[in-house]
């Protein structure tokens, strides 16, 4: 896990700068005070505050380093120029396009997701394919990544029959597009869907955006977490309520729980306090 | 590059500049906002950004064509909020705090 070290006039300022370098919020970071500014007479501050910070290990503490790409965007602001932006475009692997062609444009099987049939019928009526939508989203994300001076490629990954992921991947510094608890990533997905919607006025909830495999790792981590809680629930015979989560996270828990015997899950609570309950099944 | 030199008191108020949308030297949060707005808008040529920067704070005013207001704001301001988050992330990358106003004109 990468540490960033920041010096500033006050501890608050140092922490804030460290966090913005990491692209995460205080909740998701581990901050250590290396040096406190000494307060002189009349509250005048002598010396500087020095802290170091890193992205906190993801909950629920994966045993092996599920290293996020956080805090590595230092020194990457300089050196952007028109020419190296062009060069980056050339070097982008065209995997997405290949994948797309591998996938036959077969008619959609409605039984695959009966709960979404109405939306699907609407999409089919629009005559807009998911492939077309994904291509627009990919292009948008590639442009954004380049404007932000990030070195990343965008790949189209079909996840399910009716679900596609636009995966932004690169060497480092992508934490800025993930943000605290994935909030920047959520914004990125919102805007991507809105852009796609602008070109093709149709449903866009079949498009997911991931950055540096954050979503993927989060789903995996939630799966391990769910398995662990399920074990406890089975052992104790008592239901456990989890902390409130986003709809995407709740879905990951429900999905993971489907494959576990002896428990069942439901969502309780409204709005921001909506959370999953894992209960023993009868 | 902006004329503003961090920590140099003499340049602090020198850099209230209005950038052209196509200005290649625009600061990064502004470039990102321009890109997002042009991508979202049905009329990209009506997109205009006013940028004002002082002391590491970038204040951006976004103008879009009348038909695109709804699109950049979104239902319950959701798109506007997402734009602010992304522009803020771009700003954090270059050590600047940002503020985005969508101007109705």
């Amino acid at each position: 896990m990468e540490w960033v070290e920041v010096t500033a006039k006050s501890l608050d300022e140092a922490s804030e700068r460290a966090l913005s370098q990491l692209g995460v919020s205080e909740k998701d970071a581990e901050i250590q005070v290396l040096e406190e500014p000494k307060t002189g007479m009349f509250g005048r501050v002598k010396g500087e505050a020095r802290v170091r910070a890193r992205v906190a290990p993801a909950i629920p503490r994966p045993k092996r380093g599920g290293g996020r790409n956080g805090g590595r965007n230092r020194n990457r602001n300089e050196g952007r120029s028109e020419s190296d932006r062009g060069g980056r475009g050339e070097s982008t692997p065209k995997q997405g396009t290949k994948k797309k062609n591998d996938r036959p444009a077969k008619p959609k099987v409605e039984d695959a997701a009966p709960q979404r049939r109405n939306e699907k019928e609407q999409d089919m009526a629009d005559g807009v394919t998911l492939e077309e939508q994904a291509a627009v989203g990919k292009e948008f994300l590639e442009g954004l990544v380049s404007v932000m001076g990030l070195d990343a490629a965008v790949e189209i990954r079909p996840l399910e029959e009716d679900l596609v992921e636009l995966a932004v991947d690169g060497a480092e510094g992508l934490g800025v597009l993930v943000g605290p608890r994935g909030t920047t990533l959520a914004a990125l997905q919102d805007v991507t869907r809105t852009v796609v919607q602008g070109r093709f006025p149709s449903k866009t909830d079949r498009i997911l955006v991931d950055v540096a495999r954050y979503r993927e790792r989060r789903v995996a981590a939630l799966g391990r977490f769910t398995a662990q809680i399920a074990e406890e629930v089975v052992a104790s015979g008592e239901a456990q309520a989890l902390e409130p989560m986003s709809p995407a996270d709740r879905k990951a828990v429900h999905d993971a729980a489907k494959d576990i015997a002896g428990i069942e899950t439901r969502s309780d609570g409204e709005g921001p306090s909506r959370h999953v309950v894992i209960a023993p099944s009868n | 590059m902006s004329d503003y030199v961090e920590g140099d008191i003499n340049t602090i108020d020198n850099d209230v500049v209005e950038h052209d949308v196509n200005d290649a030297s625009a600061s990064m949060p502004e470039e990102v906002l321009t890109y997002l707005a042009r991508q979202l808008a049905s009329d990209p040529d009506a997109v205009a950004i006013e940028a004002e920067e002082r002391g590491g704070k970038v204040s951006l005013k976004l103008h879009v064509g009348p038909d695109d207001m709804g699109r950049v704001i979104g239902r319950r301001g959701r798109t506007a909020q997402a734009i602010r988050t992304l522009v803020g992330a771009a700003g954090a990358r270059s050590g600047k705090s940002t503020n985005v106003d969508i101007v109705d004109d």
Side-chain angles (χ1 to χ4, degrees):
Chain A
M1 205 66 72
E2 301 290 318
W3 291 92
V4 296
E5 206 173 294
V6 175
T7 311
K9 285 201 194 76
S10 73
L11 279 179
D12 280 353
E13 201 190 330
S15 308
E16 200 180 308
R17 278 205 221 156
L19 291 173
S20 80
Q21 280 188 19
L22 291 170
V24 303
S25 77
E26 207 168 342
K27 268 186 290 180
D28 292 310
E30 200 173 304
I31 300 179
Q32 293 178 356
V33 176
L34 300 176
E35 204 174 332
E36 287 195 37
K38 292 158 207 90
T39 313
M41 223 186 290
F42 308 120
R44 263 182 309 183
V45 176
K46 297 171 176 170
E48 287 195 307
R50 202 153 59 89
V51 304
R52 66 172 192 161
R54 65 173 183 174
V55 176
I59 34 166
R61 285 185 232 106
K63 291 266 152 34
R64 279 161 273 145
R68 284 201 219 166
N69 280 333
R72 308 192 56 181
N73 37 13
R74 278 195 302 182
N75 306 326
R76 301 199 71 242
N77 302 333
E78 284 96 32
R80 287 182 304 116
S81 69
E82 288 304 327
S83 62
D84 72 44
R85 249 180 258 160
R88 185 171 301 130
E90 298 298 318
S91 65
T92 300
K94 299 284 185 211
Q95 296 162 353
T97 321
K98 187 165 155 268
K99 275 255 168 67
K100 201 176 96 186
N101 294 340
D102 288 347
R103 193 176 176 234
K106 61 188 166 195
K108 287 158 190 166
V109 185
E110 298 207 356
D111 293 351
Q115 73 276 16
R116 303 211 318 222
R117 186 172 300 168
N118 288 339
E119 294 169 16
K120 283 174 67 176
E121 271 167 9
Q122 215 175 339
D123 291 334
M124 290 168 74
D126 293 338
V128 176
T129 66
L130 189 49
E131 283 79 6
E132 284 173 301
Q133 290 190 321
V136 169
K138 176 182 192 288
E139 204 179 307
F140 163 74
L141 287 169
E142 284 170 345
L144 180 64
V145 156
S146 145
V147 166
M148 290 188 76
L150 295 165
D151 194 0
V154 185
E155 189 191 337
I156 300 175
R157 289 196 199 131
L159 292 184
E160 293 166 23
E161 174 66 29
D162 205 22
L163 192 64
V164 119
E165 180 184 86
L166 301 173
V168 181
D169 260 307
E172 55 181 29
L174 293 180
V176 70
L177 285 179
V178 175
R181 292 204 172 242
T183 47
T184 307
L185 177 54
L188 187 61
Q189 179 168 294
D190 270 4
V191 171
T192 305
R193 285 174 168 181
T194 309
V195 167
V196 171
Q197 174 111 47
R199 311 288 160 79
F200 300 116
S202 138
K203 289 275 177 194
T204 51
D205 56 358
R206 305 171 300 173
I207 296 175
L208 299 177
V209 176
D210 198 2
V211 171
R213 312 229 165 191
Y214 174 85
R215 207 189 63 79
E216 191 176 288
R217 278 184 281 126
R218 177 115 186 118
V219 167
L222 284 166
R224 292 192 295 272
F225 174 67
T226 304
Q228 184 195 322
I229 301 291
E231 218 170 280
E232 292 172 22
V233 167
V234 168
S236 70
E238 277 174 40
Q240 281 197 41
L242 309 183
E243 61 182 284
M245 291 175 185
S246 68
D249 283 358
R250 291 199 307 272
K251 183 178 187 300
V253 172
H254 289 307
D255 287 351
K258 266 184 218 153
D259 303 329
I260 304 174
I263 52 140
E264 57 191 24
T265 57
R266 61 172 191 274
S267 288
D268 268 357
E270 293 304 323
S273 65
R274 195 151 172 84
H275 60 274
V276 176
V277 175
I278 301 182
S281 57
N282 303 312
Chain B
M1 274 289 170
S2 153
D3 294 330
Y4 173 68
V5 179
E6 195 173 13
D8 182 349
I9 193 80
N10 296 314
T11 63
I12 237 160
D13 289 317
N14 285 351
D15 53 351
V16 179
V17 198
E18 285 193 18
H19 289 290
D20 184 81
V21 170
N22 299 314
D23 185 351
S25 69
S27 62
M28 198 168 73
E30 186 185 345
E31 278 181 63
V32 169
L33 177 60
T34 304
Y35 178 74
L36 293 175
R38 289 182 62 97
Q39 286 284 314
L40 286 164
S42 61
D43 182 6
D45 294 337
V47 170
I49 315 271
E50 291 173 65
E52 200 174 288
E53 183 174 341
R54 37 179 97 218
K57 293 199 168 147
V58 185
S59 173
L60 300 165
K61 290 196 170 82
L62 170 64
H63 303 260
V64 297
D67 296 339
D68 284 324
M69 281 301 281
R71 180 170 293 282
V72 295
I73 291 170
R75 208 177 298 158
R76 295 186 187 191
R78 186 171 168 149
T79 308
Q81 200 45 52
I83 290 172
R84 290 193 180 102
T85 301
L86 289 173
V87 172
R93 229 173 106 65
S94 42
K96 291 167 185 164
S97 72
T98 57
N99 179 50
V100 178
D101 278 331
I102 300 168
V103 183
D104 196 355
D105 48 10

